[in-house]
């Protein structure tokens, strides 16, 4: 188990500046336009939010390796973090997740607060011991679940009141009690309560929502009792770059241990998401972890890493796996995806991905996995989840090593073709 | 994977004769009456099936250790065999099953024939490779599933015709094609097609059904093409001891590599099952494996091992686990059972069974398991199944070691109290 924990330790290991020809569009894809960085900055100057001399911030934008340390647990970013909603990365044991290489997983504040509840969390001294996870844990704020799961809800300045999705009982989450819950969970990285701005929203709606989230962030920062756990602020602002910049500037005043981008991957286009990342990232502190919430598609990971994001989470790899859908390298399927129930795999003695070294690919054929899936055998959900998590681990590993060697921009087209052929 | 396979090698390691005071009832339980052995024998003499001078057969009845060898896989009996219905011991990986200590699992002929089908089995060279199981495999005959799963069925001298439970297509299983299917599966122990006599049945019905099964057994023996795999005959005869003896005598004429007792645990009382075992076992060859089909309750295992059964199988440990019910030693729960969803376990930091060394008990609290079960997290089905299989493994291991040391009858009351407190 994790010991000698204290505040997250953050070290920058290596960073690359986006090369000149990147700005000229050499590495552009349909979604990521390198010149967005400059365009978005110009818009901020027009609106009086940025000054010309702040343009040097753009030079700091680029992919990087950082080291995060939580007590005896150490890891390098960029990383993906598997989601263990109610204290279990769905269908997997802690060993399954750890042995792929993962060292941080997510727990969901909203879910854990409902079940098993905080009395048990306190009894066990936190989620690590309860679920026997030897790595670090990040807990989200609950804000996203209030929006996506609760049928009836009311947001006031005080917090969010809603009927929970299990028994309909009325619950109020406030910036303060969300800190308290996370301190009971004893997570290593705790997220402040935010309102995930509805999509779409007008500029005025997004502004009001963002400003409330920023007031909540300040209250959350003041509510802490355990000062030896990291707390991250969350940038909001809907689909408006100027609001995103206002948001990060206000957050920084609270000196959080890290900064997250929330409210993306909520229905907007990939193009839109990248534009907003381009607007926001230059303003995020260089010496703190940067976390893009709820994002896990291979092409999104690649592009966001290029812009300097360190951390990601998403239910997609494990949820897709349970639906029979896995990511594979383009050498295994030109689309980068396999739907295992497809009859094309009926007699295939091939693994899901012959270049993958996961437990599943080392041992099982597509024919066997398809058979288990059709027969609804529980083992298949575990096997497919292991593979999808290995895939995202390998992707971030390859990006990391390419940053370390300085060869990332050279190898980028190959990495894209290999891991995200659909986006090339 | 299993290599150098050939016919099962059978070696008797140690056997104990039931002690004199056993016959006097010293170890009787409500269900197992030691004097059944003599009573049932007397009835056979009355009916003209046994002769007085055959009474010495009773002296051979008693618990034993045997060694079974399949190529490079070796194991000692008595053993329980987990059921991997369609090519997966439900919710577990082959490693999970193997690392508990299991070396033989079951596959279901009826199910595997429907899905994934024999074309795939032939492609893969059998089930071992398809499911990546490094131990031995026993396949049942399909007879039991025809009776329990198929809605419409017709039994003729030729075989059993029925509408399968998946898509209703008409299928005929014959003694010959069941041999063929099992040769495609390439199982190490193949069971002959039998009719599992309905319960209850009159003596005349049970006789007719048994005699047809014996004719089928003979046909199955003659239908083999692969002579290097073991084939077991199955004793039938309903609830009639005299029919059971007639059945085993007819089976022996075919010189099978082993003999199974079928058609028990179909609704009769435990008392009745033991009476029939007492009638049958004295007549089963001493120098061949004896297998009691479909039996897995701890008290049934103990009593049948006492009478000389070597092998068992049952879906109960894995099915119960998925329903939240586990076996535990009486020190962990006076009844020998825990229903994990019971609120008594809500805050329990105890493992399921503190004397158990399984992966689940070494790592997880009842509170965590209960939480996973209530939240319907897939991990819990695996964890509970591992525990239940470890429990039955430990039970047979303890019986085996007590036979080896010669102390079994001395320690029997303790073993019963420990593993099957409900039956004491």
């Amino acid at each position: 188990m994790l010991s000698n924990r204290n505040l997250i330790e953050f070290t920058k290991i290596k960073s690359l500046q986006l090369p000149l020809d990147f700005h000229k569009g050499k590495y552009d894809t349909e979604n990521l336009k390198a010149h967005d960085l400059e365009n978005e900055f110009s818009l901020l100057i027009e609106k009086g939010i940025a000054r010309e001399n702040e343009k040097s911030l753009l030079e700091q934008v680029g992919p990087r390796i950082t080291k995060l340390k939580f007590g005896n647990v150490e890891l390098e970013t960029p990383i993906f973090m598997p989601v263990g909603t109610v204290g279990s990365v769905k269908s997997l044991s802690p060993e399954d997740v750890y042995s792929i290489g993962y060292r941080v997983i997510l727990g969901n504040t909203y879910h854990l607060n409902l079940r098993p509840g905080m009395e048990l969390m306190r009894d066990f001294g936190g989620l690590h011991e309860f679920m026997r996870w030897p790595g670090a844990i990040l807990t989200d704020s609950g804000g996203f679940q209030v929006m996506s799961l609760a049928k009836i809800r009311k947001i006031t300045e005080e917090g969010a009141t809603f009927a929970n999705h299990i028994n309909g009982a009325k619950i109020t989450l406030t910036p303060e009690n969300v800190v308290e819950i996370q301190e009971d969970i004893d997570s290593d990285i705790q997220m402040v309560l935010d309102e995930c701005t509805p999509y779409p929203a007008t500029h005025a709606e997004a502004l009001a929502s963002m400003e409330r989230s920023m007031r909540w962030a300040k209250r959350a920062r003041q509510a802490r009792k355990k000062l030896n756990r990291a707390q991250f602020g969350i940038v909001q602002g809907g689909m408006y770059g100027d609001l995103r910049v206002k948001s990060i500037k206000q957050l920084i005043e609270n000196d959080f241990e890290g900064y997250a981008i929330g409210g993306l991957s909520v229905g907007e286009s990939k193009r839109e998401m990248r534009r907003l990342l381009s607007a926001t990232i230059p303003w995020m502190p260089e010496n703190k972890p940067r976390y893009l919430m709820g994002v896990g598609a291979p092409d999104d990971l690649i592009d966001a890493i290029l812009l300097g994001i360190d951390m990601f989470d998403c239910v997609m790899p494990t949820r897709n796996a349970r639906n029979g859908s896995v990511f594979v390298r383009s050498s295994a399927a030109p689309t980068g995806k396999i739907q295992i129930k497809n009859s094309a795999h009926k007699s295939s003695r091939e693994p899901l991905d012959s270049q993958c070294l996961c437990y599943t690919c080392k041992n099982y054929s597509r024919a066997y996995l398809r058979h288990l899936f059709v027969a609804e055998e529980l083992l298949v959900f575990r096997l497919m989840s292991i593979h999808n998590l290995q895939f995202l681990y390998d992707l971030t590993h390859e990006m990391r090593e390419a940053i370390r060697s300085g060869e990332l921009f050279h190898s980028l087209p190959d990495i894209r073709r290999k891991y995200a052929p659909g986006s090339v």
Side-chain angles (χ1 to χ4, degrees), chain A residues 44-101:
Chain A
L44 292 174
I45 293 178
E46 272 175 39
K47 297 196 176 184
I49 292 167
R51 289 186 304 272
E52 189 67 40
N53 65 0
E54 287 175 313
K55 214 166 176 177
S56 61
L57 287 172
L58 298 184
E59 288 162 25
Q60 295 173 14
V61 174
R64 61 191 206 164
I65 305 177
T66 79
K67 189 170 80 182
L68 305 184
K69 200 163 175 291
F70 309 85
N72 59 343
V73 171
E74 232 180 72
L75 57 100
E76 283 189 345
T77 68
I79 48 157
F80 177 79
M81 302 177 290
V83 179
T85 311
V86 295
S88 160
V89 177
K90 284 192 193 298
S91 84
L92 301 178
S93 69
E95 283 79 359
D96 290 335
V97 178
Y98 198 88
S99 66
I100 293 170

Side-chain angles (χ1 to χ4, degrees), chain A residues 127-189:
Chain A
L127 182 59
H128 297 77
E129 181 57 30
F130 184 60
M131 72 174 288
R132 306 287 295 171
W133 168 248
I137 295 174
L138 181 152
T139 39
D140 65 1
S141 71
F144 182 77
Q145 279 73 26
V146 169
M147 189 179 94
S148 59
L149 289 177
K151 292 272 178 295
I152 309 149
R153 61 179 180 276
K154 199 181 154 197
I155 314 281
T156 64
E157 188 61 25
E158 173 62 11
T161 301
F162 57 92
N164 82 58
H165 74 289
I166 293 177
N167 60 17
K170 217 167 113 178
I171 290 179
T172 299
L173 288 183
T174 66
E176 290 79 11
N177 71 17
V178 162
V179 167
E180 210 175 306
I181 293 166
Q182 294 182 87
E183 290 185 345
D184 284 343
I185 295 172
D186 199 29
S187 45
D188 301 278
I189 301 179

Side-chain angles (χ1 to χ4, degrees), chain A residues 345-363:
Chain A
H345 310 301
K346 191 168 181 185
S347 310
S348 171
R349 302 191 64 170
E350 292 292 309
L352 291 172
D353 181 341
S354 60
Q355 285 186 52
C356 177
L357 296 176
C358 82
Y359 166 74
T360 305
C361 288
K362 273 187 293 192
N363 286 285

Side-chain angles (χ1 to χ4, degrees), chain A residues 272-290:
Chain A
E272 188 82 339
M273 185 205 288
R274 282 149 180 77
R275 201 179 53 70
L276 287 157
L277 290 176
S278 296
T280 315
I281 289 173
W283 306 86
M284 296 179 84
E286 245 204 316
N287 60 343
K288 297 284 174 74
R290 299 170 183 152

Side-chain angles (χ1 to χ4, degrees), chain A residues 230-361:
Chain A
Q231 187 183 45
F232 281 20
I234 305 176
V235 177
Q236 289 290 350
M239 300 299 143
Y240 304 96
D242 59 321
L243 297 185
R244 294 270 167 188
V245 174
K246 278 190 180 163
S247 176
I248 180 67
K249 284 185 165 183
Q250 288 185 46
L251 282 178
I252 290 170
E253 291 169 17
N254 300 292
D255 195 25
F256 286 104
E257 282 77 32
Y259 296 91
I261 301 179
L264 292 185
S265 200
V266 292
E268 81 282 7
S269 69
K270 283 177 183 278
R271 173 83 194 93
E272 188 82 339
M273 185 205 288
R274 282 149 180 77
R275 201 179 53 70
L276 287 157
L277 290 176
S278 296
T280 315
I281 289 173
W283 306 86
M284 296 179 84
E286 245 204 316
N287 60 343
K288 297 284 174 74
R290 299 170 183 152
Y291 163 29
L292 177 54
M293 302 182 80
V295 167
D299 59 328
D300 292 344
L301 257 61
I302 292 171
D303 287 354
I305 290 171
L306 284 175
L307 294 172
I309 295 289
D310 307 310
M311 306 161 68
F312 302 89
D313 81 283
C314 193
V315 296
M316 190 208 289
T318 43
R319 179 178 290 165
N320 282 7
R322 297 196 307 282
N323 292 327
S325 172
V326 291
F327 304 124
V328 292
R329 289 166 182 75
S330 52
S331 52
T335 58
K337 275 188 187 174
I338 282 180
Q339 176 51 256
I340 197 65
K341 68 168 178 256
N342 194 310
S343 61
H345 310 301
K346 191 168 181 185
S347 310
S348 171
R349 302 191 64 170
E350 292 292 309
L352 291 172
D353 181 341
S354 60
Q355 285 186 52
C356 177
L357 296 176
C358 82
Y359 166 74
T360 305
C361 288

